[in-house]
Amino acid sequence: MNKQLSKVGGRIDAIFYCPHAPDEGCQCRKPAPGLLEQIAERYGITLDGVPFVGDSLRDMQAAHAGGCRPHLVLSGKAMGLRGLALPAEYPPHTRMHHDLDAFVTHWLSAASTRTAAMPVSPTAAELPAA
């Protein structure tokens, strides 16, 4: 994975995973937000509003518990939800996308809209004379 990404100019800074069995009751196994908390701590950030993409109810529950914005891709485990309304047990504000490509298109579109809406600081030439 790292080699494939480096060929196209990408990189992965870290990989987080839960090494525990389901019956161990840890806080890093989804739907608990422990892994997200580890990520926030490592990078010294808050995850409030950060998009979280997954394909299962447990993914969306972890995203919500960690303060992220849940985005469900209807591929993999969630493929059976295609064409259906989001079931009530999913966290509020969960967005559905046909697949990962559809999420990326949505995210890039939203990012360009946010960038276009940002106020532009005037250049020195545009400032009124003192």
Side-chain angles (χ1 to χ4, degrees):
M1 180 172 57
N2 284 321
K3 288 179 184 178
Q4 288 177 323
L5 278 173
S6 69
K7 288 179 185 177
V8 295
R11 73 170 198 263
I12 296 174
D13 291 329
I15 296 174
F16 294 81
Y17 66 94
C18 172
H20 306 102
D23 60 351
E24 291 186 56
C26 68
Q27 287 301 303
C28 58
R29 191 170 191 89
K30 295 179 286 187
L35 284 178
L36 294 171
E37 292 165 355
Q38 289 177 30
I39 293 167
E41 183 178 329
R42 175 176 177 157
Y43 293 103
I45 59 171
T46 176
L47 297 178
D48 292 338
V50 170
F52 182 108
V53 180
D55 70 348
S56 72
L57 174 60
R58 293 168 59 88
D59 290 341
M60 299 302 97
Q61 290 168 329
H64 181 70
C68 299
R69 289 189 337 237
H71 290 267
L72 180 68
V73 290
L74 301 178
S75 54
K77 296 173 190 169
M79 191 174 284
L81 294 176
R82 285 187 179 181
L84 303 175
L86 186 68
E89 65 266 21
Y90 280 78
H93 310 294
T94 298
R95 298 279 313 253
M96 293 194 306
H97 306 276
H98 185 74
D99 54 22
L100 187 57
D101 183 56
F103 163 74
V104 170
T105 299
H106 162 79
W107 187 69
L108 290 174
S109 173
S112 70
T113 300
R114 283 190 304 273
T115 301
M118 291 177 66
V120 177
S121 298
T123 64
E126 298 170 325
L127 291 174

